[in-house]
Amino acid sequence: HRHLLGIEGLSPLDIAALLDRADEAVEISRQVEKKRTTLRGRTQINLFFEPSTRTQSSFELAGKRLGADVMNMSVASSSVKKGETLIDTAATLNAMRPDIIVVRHHQAGAVHLLARKVDCSVVNAGDGAHEHPTQALLDALTIRRNKGRVEGLTVAICGDVLHSRVARSNIILLQALGARVRVIGPSTLLPPGLPRFGVEVFTDMRKGLAGVDIVMMLRLQRERMNGSFVPSVKEYFRYFGLDGDKLRHAKPDALVMHPGPMNRGVEISSEVADGAQSLIKEQVEMGVAVRMAVLEALAMHLPNA
Ligand code: CP
């Protein structure tokens, strides 16, 4: 593959190969000397039209650990603010001859469009409510390292599924690797037609969490709600926030995940987020490793590689 635009289109073998490569990247990242030469002489541009803490910084570290020159394009102070279109911005950056562009954009499909307009490899770092492939890969890596496998596990994805690219990429990836996926949330925040994707749907947290191995919480994405349905935070937490009481309905050895950024007291309590069953900090470490694996895999398809 020249680009990574989504989990859709990756085979289970592609996914397993990336996770194996990411396991090696974890070892590299835990060494004192972390620098490798796979991307030496290559240029990587991070182009983020939406805010990011984890994804942008881990793509920057990943590129640098592999030896690339990494440039973070500051959209806030760029000519995008003067009305330049995505296509013109893409053409401008393309003329600077990057090897890889990592893009986050608020519109679903924008990254695919950009990939058609440039000569280099493109990585989707999140496009609207469509896909966030490296998040799903780092989640799978975290699960595999803690449970030894993904196949046969039951994973509950909980909360604002409607606006979540993380949920969409995870549903595709987890099912490709043989996990059973449940989705739990208020009916107003569940996309129509979910059973078509082969997931079980629950609107009651306690019932949906019964017997699950992994509880994956999602952020309530109020910025995507346009005032149509913005639940009261207090009520949302009461019914859908993960606290110790609701978590007790999952398996005793169930593990808790959240892609971040977390809204404590909205979708998750601090007690659970910082508790013994939480993998949230480990997910961040796996994020750097997965992004190293993705950049390395793309490097093999760069011209003259
Ligand atoms: N999980 C995630 O994408 O976090 P950021 O928005 O901080 O990159």
Side-chain angles (χ1 to χ4, degrees):
H1 302 270
R2 183 157 80 97
H3 306 300
L4 176 65
L5 302 180
I7 297 298
E8 204 157 32
L10 293 186
S11 70
L13 273 178
D14 291 332
I15 295 167
L18 283 170
L19 299 185
D20 290 345
R21 195 185 279 275
D23 272 326
E24 290 167 24
V26 174
E27 297 313 314
I28 293 171
S29 295
R30 287 181 178 176
Q31 290 168 14
V32 176
E33 172 57 59
K34 300 171 176 62
K35 200 97 169 168
R36 295 295 183 269
T37 56
T38 323
L39 289 180
R40 190 167 58 194
R42 302 293 189 173
T43 301
Q44 172 188 331
I45 298 179
N46 294 336
L47 177 62
F48 280 61
F49 291 87
E50 272 192 346
S52 169
T53 297
R54 282 145 285 268
T55 311
Q56 183 168 346
S57 54
S58 60
F59 264 116
E60 181 177 356
L61 278 181
K64 286 180 172 169
R65 282 183 191 171
L66 295 173
D69 293 316
V70 184
M71 193 263 273
N72 287 305
M73 180 73 207
S74 171
V75 169
S77 58
S78 74
S79 286
V80 170
K81 292 288 166 202
K82 300 176 186 166
E84 188 167 75
T85 65
L86 173 66
I87 300 305
D88 284 339
T89 301
T92 301
L93 294 178
N94 190 54
M96 298 181 194
R97 299 191 171 274
D99 298 286
I100 299 173
I101 302 183
V102 179
V103 194
R104 170 170 288 189
H105 198 276
H106 42 273
Q107 275 178 335
V111 181
H112 287 67
L113 180 66
L114 189 139
R116 289 204 297 273
K117 302 290 177 187
V118 296
D119 303 313
C120 64
S121 291
V122 172
V123 183
N124 184 356
D127 64 326
H130 179 227
E131 279 233 39
H132 190 351
T134 55
Q135 180 69 46
L137 287 164
L138 78 88
D139 289 339
L141 181 68
T142 309
I143 294 171
R144 198 176 79 164
R145 289 173 66 94
N146 280 275
K147 293 286 186 188
R149 68 199 161 99
V150 174
E151 192 176 2
L153 297 177
T154 303
V155 181
I157 303 178
C158 312
D160 182 2
V161 180
L162 181 65
H163 300 103
S164 180
R165 54 196 178 210
V166 175
R168 201 182 134 78
S169 291
N170 261 306
I171 289 170
I172 302 169
L173 189 155
L174 290 165
Q175 290 186 331
L177 294 192
R180 281 186 293 272
V181 180
R182 294 182 187 175
V183 158
I184 316 172
S187 52
T188 44
L189 292 178
L190 296 179
L194 266 178
R196 271 207 322 272
F197 294 96
V199 300
E200 279 187 279
V201 180
F202 294 84
T203 52
D204 180 294
M205 281 288 273
R206 290 175 178 82
K207 285 184 188 157
L209 290 179
V212 308
D213 299 284
I214 303 286
V215 186
M216 200 178 266
M217 300 309 298
L218 299 172
R219 183 173 64 85
L220 191 63
Q221 297 191 41
R222 281 171 285 191
E223 78 276 17
R224 296 198 206 277
M225 290 181 188
N226 299 323
S228 54
F229 171 74
V230 184
S232 110
V233 162
K234 211 172 139 200
E235 219 180 0
Y236 186 82
F237 182 73
R238 182 167 161 215
Y239 289 103
F240 295 98
L242 186 67
D243 56 13
D245 176 53
K246 295 193 194 76
L247 182 56
R248 273 187 280 283
H249 289 74
K251 280 189 183 162
D253 63 349
L255 296 170
V256 175
M257 304 175 72
H258 192 305
M262 275 189 286
N263 290 151
R264 291 169 182 263
V266 180
E267 68 265 355
I268 192 164
S269 71
S270 281
E271 171 205 4
V272 170
D274 304 326
Q277 287 166 273
S278 171
L279 294 177
I280 295 170
K281 287 197 189 75
E282 192 174 327
Q283 283 173 270
V284 177
E285 183 186 4
M286 296 307 121
V288 179
V290 149
R291 284 153 189 144
M292 286 172 75
V294 166
L295 294 173
E296 264 193 328
L298 292 180
M300 296 195 308
H301 297 277
L302 293 176
N304 304 321

